[in-house]
Amino acid sequence: MELSERKKKILTAVIDAYVVTAEPVGSKTVAEVGKLDLSSATIRNEMAELTALGLLEQPHTSAGRVPSPKGYRLYVNELMVRQRLSLEETDEINKSMYRKIQQLDKLMNDIGRLASSLTHYPSLALTAPIAATVSRFDIIYVDPNTFIVVALLDNRSVHNKLVTLPFSMEAAMISRLAAVFNSDFTGITEDKITPARIDAAERACGDTMGLVSVIAAFTIETLTTACHGEAVVSGASHLLSLPEFRDPDKAHELMSYLSDNEHFLKLPPGTDLGDDDIQVLIGPENVAEELKNSSVVIARYNAGDNMRGLIGVVGPTRMDYSGVTAKLRYIAAGLSRLLGSAEAPPGFEKLQIKGDDIGEQH
Amino acid sequence: MELSERKKKILTAVIDAYVVTAEPVGSKTVAEVGKLDLSSATIRNEMAELTALGLLEQPHTSAGRVPSPKGYRLYVNELMVRQRLSLEETDEINKSMYRKIQQLDKLMNDIGRLASSLTHYPSLALTAPIAATVSRFDIIYVDPNTFIVVALLDNRSVHNKLVTLPFSMEAAMISRLAAVFNSDFTGITEDKITPARIDAAERACGDTMGLVSVIAAFTIETLTTACHGEAVVSGASHLLSLPEFRDPDKAHELMSYLSDNEHFLKLPPGTDLGDDDIQVLIGPENVAEELKNSSVVIARYNAGDNMRGLIGVVGPTRMDYSGVTAKLRYIAAGLSRLLGSAEAPPGFEKLQIKGDDIGEQH
DNA sequence: AATTAGCACTCAGAGAACGAGAGTGCTAGT
DNA sequence: ACTAGCACTCTCGTTCTCTGAGTGCTAATT
């Protein structure tokens, strides 16, 4: 069933007003802000019909109307104008994004923080789990008791571990270990590292001291954590300034849910983002009980096969969907662009420039 | 002025009761739980005197008494019995601590979470800034456009960076770079890496393509972040279950303060932990305005020269100081022990065992 | 037929009034 | 030195009332 143009306008007006005030919206208010030249009585009739359609709700008989989840859904799908960010906003995003791109491990944190401070909602930033393999091992001999294992993964991240031995060992062993690992442990996923394979490697190296086991264990650990995906939640305290969370119990419920970020690791596979790279989950559309009264907006970023993930915010169903989606879309696009350019990854030029900067500072 | 034994007992009783109920404590309650065989009237008189001494406070005339910060201070300094942890508790701590000790970078996070879940207060975990130097460089040639820089720091942590070039370069350059960096950039702190030194290194290597700059910049970055110290706050949502933070504004104030963990980076130098490795800051003793109504308990861990830091919790002044200090003390001691044993660092034996485990699983 | 003005009705929320109960300080008695 | 008793204080929860925003409906208007 298609809504009349007028009903659409009224629904939009109700949502717009409710988003800023968090108070039920009356017919009079709609008449004023809605830019329709109608009396409040006419609007009352229309609003009654919208309520009958389940797009609006009435907290109690003599109160104004509040958008229902279904109403928000319609708004998000059809009515919402795709907002453009102001120059100041894009500027701010760009600046924050380019600044800290260097440390990739800190990136998720920073992006989350950015999203949160931009939208004033708690944000979540997560990387999708992707099966990784080691594409190359190097083992650095430090002293007879110490060596460093370096593993270069196929997603171009580098991991290392310092190994200290309670006995000494000759340097030749190192090169044997490196050779064996490079031939037998590269290009395979974590589950392929079987005890059989480890045994074979031990024989191949003539290792009687468990060195192969140590390196294999490090490899397994590296691959699992690399695959694991990670979730960070930032800015949870923003919730407390929202009227819907003035009830400390409500706030507590959601915040404890958010603080266990394991919950969100399960998110990416389940959610299909469809054509657009953004998805809005309104109130009861969320599977988690704790989120049934809140909305989640997530945008996907996609930096080649190496790195994918989501960036999103959590807020009350009364949310500035237009603004939030615009901001998240922009951040995600930036992230894809920045990380995706595999040829000039985390900043060769930038690093060089940074070197120069330092040169001038001193 | 020395308090009579009886007054001490009464003060202790008031604090003990207030800690669990968060309600002003009346003379009758003290008479019951205080184990003194006195009538409430006598206790009333004593409590009046304690109030006059500023150790107790009265929210209003016809209410019971509440400990003042001064009262807590006295309690913490003299009255509090040093609590022993139960076997279950130490077990739990030990288990959680040994489990995840492997990934040193995740450690702070996990320890913070542990402290928080144990005490039910928000926790903060931070590492002290310590000047670091590189003790050894290695550069791994991957392909003509790619190499990996590995830096072993004097605190035995290893850092690396994958560098991708927009042009190709011969392998010989790599060894020259490694040699120069190992001779000229080891054992020096970040501020010694001057443009002059970089220029000299560039000439020494015959580097015209800025490779030295890239590596130098990486070194600087590594050293500064290694020095920088880090702070993580976990479990902030615990605040919301406390009666003193039922007022959302109060909760919001403290939580936003906590969520900006920069604040705590400044903490360690300022605070002198005295003889004992634990410190309690009660209410107004805190410098930060936002903490004037809360207490902070911090314990220091010290793992040799390589790693020092603090682990602490934030809570209302009404806090189970005895239990919290005991737990933090235990965690900090465990941390010192675990990290401090530089000879068997992040788990050689454990890793080996882990390898075996995996062997059996498959 | 669509819109509007008018009106009676509903109901949440703010404020006043009130009583109960916990706790106090003081006095007089043990 | 301690305690029993008592008058007094003050918060907190309850009840009650009143106000006002907002509604739905009807009758009038365009």
Side-chain angles (χ1 to χ4, degrees):
Chain A
M1 143 241 56
E2 184 61 27
L3 244 46
S4 76
E5 209 50 44
R6 199 167 71 179
K7 281 204 179 57
K8 288 184 183 170
K9 275 197 177 161
I10 291 175
L11 177 57
T12 308
V14 170
I15 292 182
D16 286 348
Y18 187 64
V19 160
V20 318
T21 62
E23 299 285 332
V25 185
S27 52
K28 214 172 146 194
T29 320
V30 173
E32 281 162 17
V33 307
K35 294 284 184 186
L36 314 139
D37 280 329
L38 292 173
S39 79
S40 66
T42 313
I43 293 181
R44 261 203 298 287
N45 289 327
E46 293 281 53
M47 282 170 76
E49 290 180 42
L50 285 170
T51 308
L53 290 170
L55 298 170
L56 293 180
E57 281 170 357
Q58 211 167 6
H60 53 264
T61 347
S62 73
R65 300 306 209 289
V66 162
S68 73
K70 196 173 156 192
Y72 283 120
R73 172 48 62 199
L74 184 73
Y75 173 79
V76 167
N77 286 358
E78 305 182 19
L79 273 35
M80 183 171 80
V81 296
R82 187 145 166 170
Q83 186 178 316
R84 288 190 60 85
L85 298 181
S86 74
L87 202 60
E88 288 82 45
E89 288 172 315
T90 57
D91 256 19
E92 189 188 341
I93 298 178
N94 285 339
K95 264 197 298 193
S96 321
M97 220 149 45
Y98 282 96
R99 203 179 331 151
K100 289 259 181 171
I101 188 82
Q102 324 261 17
Q103 301 111 300
L104 230 146
D105 43 331
K106 298 263 188 297
L107 186 65
M108 295 315 294
N109 258 302
D110 290 336
I111 294 295
R113 222 165 272 203
L114 174 64
S116 182
S117 78
L118 229 49
T119 59
H120 303 289
Y121 294 122
S123 74
L124 39 114
L126 39 97
T127 55
I130 293 184
T133 67
V134 176
S135 56
R136 176 186 172 127
F137 286 93
D138 278 282
I139 304 186
I140 300 172
Y141 176 88
V142 177
D143 64 46
N145 294 311
T146 319
F147 61 91
I148 300 172
V149 192
V150 180
L152 171 62
L153 304 196
D154 57 353
N155 64 15
R156 302 186 70 79
S157 67
V158 186
H159 298 251
N160 63 57
K161 180 174 188 67
L162 182 74
V163 180
T164 310
L165 305 172
F167 47 81
S168 58
M169 135 220 78
E170 72 270 36
M173 176 58 100
I174 294 291
S175 33
R176 256 178 294 155
L177 285 169
V180 167
F181 270 88
N182 268 312
S183 75
D184 292 1
F185 288 78
T186 51
I188 59 173
T189 51
E190 172 262 332
D191 55 307
K192 299 284 190 319
I193 303 182
T194 58
R197 194 185 287 265
I198 295 176
D199 281 352
E202 254 169 13
R203 277 191 301 276
C205 297
D207 167 34
T208 57
M209 298 169 292
L211 298 181
V212 169
S213 292
V214 175
I215 301 174
F218 157 71
T219 309
I220 290 172
E221 193 191 307
T222 302
L223 291 180
T224 43
T225 57
C227 292
H228 193 45
E230 216 178 325
V232 229
V233 177
S234 330
S237 64
H238 282 297
L239 281 187
L240 292 173
S241 56
L242 298 169
E244 24 272 284
F245 292 100
R246 292 208 69 82
D247 175 359
D249 295 325
K250 290 228 174 64
H252 190 203
E253 185 195 9
L254 185 51
M255 290 194 87
S256 354
Y257 182 76
L258 291 181
S259 71
D260 185 2
N261 41 28
E262 297 296 318
H263 294 133
F264 301 106
L265 290 178
K266 295 157 208 153
L267 198 58
T271 59
D272 178 20
L273 294 182
D275 294 346
D276 198 0
D277 266 1
I278 204 151
Q279 188 179 30
V280 180
L281 292 164
I282 298 166
E285 297 173 7
N286 286 289
V287 280
E289 203 52 49
E290 290 86 346
L291 294 173
K292 292 268 190 232
N293 293 314
S294 307
S295 286
V296 177
V297 180
I298 41 185
R300 174 165 55 188
Y301 62 86
N302 195 331
D305 290 340
N306 306 328
M307 198 169 169
R308 285 187 301 113
L310 301 174
I311 172 93
V313 303
V314 179
T317 48
R318 169 190 71 92
M319 191 193 254
D320 172 17
Y321 293 101
S322 175
V324 168
T325 49
K327 284 167 190 160
L328 289 183
R329 209 179 253 121
Y330 192 85
I331 296 180
L335 220 44
S336 301
R337 195 162 10 92
L338 232 62
L339 298 173
S341 54
E343 271 66 46
F348 174 67
E349 300 83 354
K350 263 157 255 135
L351 254 182
Q352 196 162 3
I353 288 160
K354 194 182 167 198
D356 290 344
D357 280 349
I358 287 159
E360 277 150 34
Q361 274 168 19
H362 286 257
Chain B
M1 145 238 58
E2 186 59 30
L3 243 47
S4 77
E5 210 51 44
R6 201 167 70 177
K7 281 205 180 55
K8 287 184 184 172
K9 276 198 175 159
I10 292 176
L11 177 57
T12 308
V14 170
I15 292 183
D16 286 346
Y18 187 63
V19 159
V20 318
T21 62
E23 299 285 331
V25 184
S27 51
K28 211 170 149 196
T29 319
V30 173
E32 282 162 17
V33 305
K35 295 283 181 186
L36 313 139
D37 279 328
L38 292 173
S39 79
S40 66
T42 313
I43 293 182
R44 263 205 294 287
N45 289 328
E46 293 283 51
M47 283 169 77
E49 289 180 45
L50 285 169
T51 309
L53 289 170
L55 298 170
L56 293 180
E57 282 171 356
Q58 213 168 4
H60 54 264
T61 349
S62 72
R65 301 305 210 287
V66 161
S68 71
K70 195 171 156 191
Y72 284 119
R73 172 49 61 199
L74 184 73
Y75 173 79
V76 168
N77 286 358
E78 305 182 21
L79 272 35
M80 183 170 79
V81 297
R82 187 146 167 167
Q83 186 179 317
R84 289 190 60 85
L85 297 181
S86 74
L87 203 60
E88 289 82 44
E89 288 171 316
T90 57
D91 256 18
E92 189 188 343
I93 297 178
N94 286 340
K95 264 197 296 193
S96 324
M97 222 151 42
Y98 282 96
R99 203 176 333 151
K100 288 259 182 173
I101 189 84
Q102 325 261 20
Q103 301 111 300
L104 232 145
D105 43 332
K106 299 263 187 296
L107 188 63
M108 296 314 294
N109 258 303
D110 290 335
I111 294 294
R113 222 165 272 202
L114 174 64
S116 182
S117 78
L118 230 49
T119 59
H120 303 289
Y121 293 122
S123 74
L124 38 115
L126 39 96
T127 55
I130 293 184
T133 66
V134 176
S135 55
R136 173 184 173 129
F137 285 94
D138 279 280
I139 304 186
I140 300 172
Y141 176 87
V142 178
D143 64 46
N145 295 311
T146 318
F147 61 90
I148 299 172
V149 193
V150 180
L152 170 63
L153 304 197
D154 56 354
N155 63 16
R156 303 186 71 78
S157 67
V158 186
H159 298 252
N160 62 58
K161 181 177 187 66
L162 181 74
V163 180
T164 310
L165 305 172
F167 47 81
S168 60
M169 135 220 78
E170 71 271 37
M173 174 59 97
I174 293 292
S175 34
R176 258 177 291 154
L177 285 168
V180 168
F181 270 89
N182 268 313
S183 75
D184 292 3
F185 288 79
T186 51
I188 59 174
T189 50
E190 171 263 331
D191 56 306
K192 298 285 188 318
I193 304 181
T194 57
R197 194 184 287 264
I198 295 175
D199 280 354
E202 254 168 15
R203 276 191 303 277
C205 297
D207 168 34
T208 57
M209 301 169 291
L211 299 181
V212 168
S213 293
V214 175
I215 302 173
F218 158 70
T219 310
I220 290 172
E221 193 191 306
T222 301
L223 291 180
T224 43
T225 58
C227 291
H228 193 45
E230 214 177 327
V232 228
V233 177
S234 330
S237 64
H238 282 297
L239 281 187
L240 291 173
S241 57
L242 297 169
E244 24 273 287
F245 291 100
R246 292 208 68 82
D247 176 0
D249 294 326
K250 291 229 173 65
H252 189 202
E253 184 194 10
L254 184 51
M255 288 193 90
S256 357
Y257 182 77
L258 291 180
S259 70
D260 184 2
N261 40 28
E262 298 295 317
H263 294 134
F264 301 106
L265 289 178
K266 295 157 209 152
L267 199 58
T271 59
D272 178 19
L273 294 182
D275 295 346
D276 198 0
D277 265 2
I278 203 150
Q279 189 179 30
V280 180
L281 293 164
I282 298 167
E285 297 173 6
N286 286 289
V287 280
E289 202 53 49
E290 290 87 346
L291 295 174
K292 293 268 191 232
N293 292 314
S294 307
S295 286
V296 177
V297 181
I298 41 184
R300 174 165 54 189
Y301 62 86
N302 195 329
D305 289 341
N306 307 327
M307 197 166 170
R308 285 188 300 114
L310 302 174
I311 171 93
V313 303
V314 179
T317 47
R318 168 190 74 92
M319 191 193 254
D320 172 16
Y321 292 101
S322 176
V324 168
T325 50
K327 284 166 189 160
L328 289 183
R329 209 179 254 122
Y330 192 84
I331 296 180
L335 220 44
S336 301
R337 194 161 14 89
L338 233 60
L339 298 173
S341 54
E343 271 66 45
F348 173 67
E349 301 81 355
K350 264 156 257 135
L351 254 181
Q352 198 163 1
I353 289 160
K354 194 181 166 197
D356 290 345
D357 279 351
I358 286 159
E360 277 151 35
Q361 274 167 19
H362 286 257

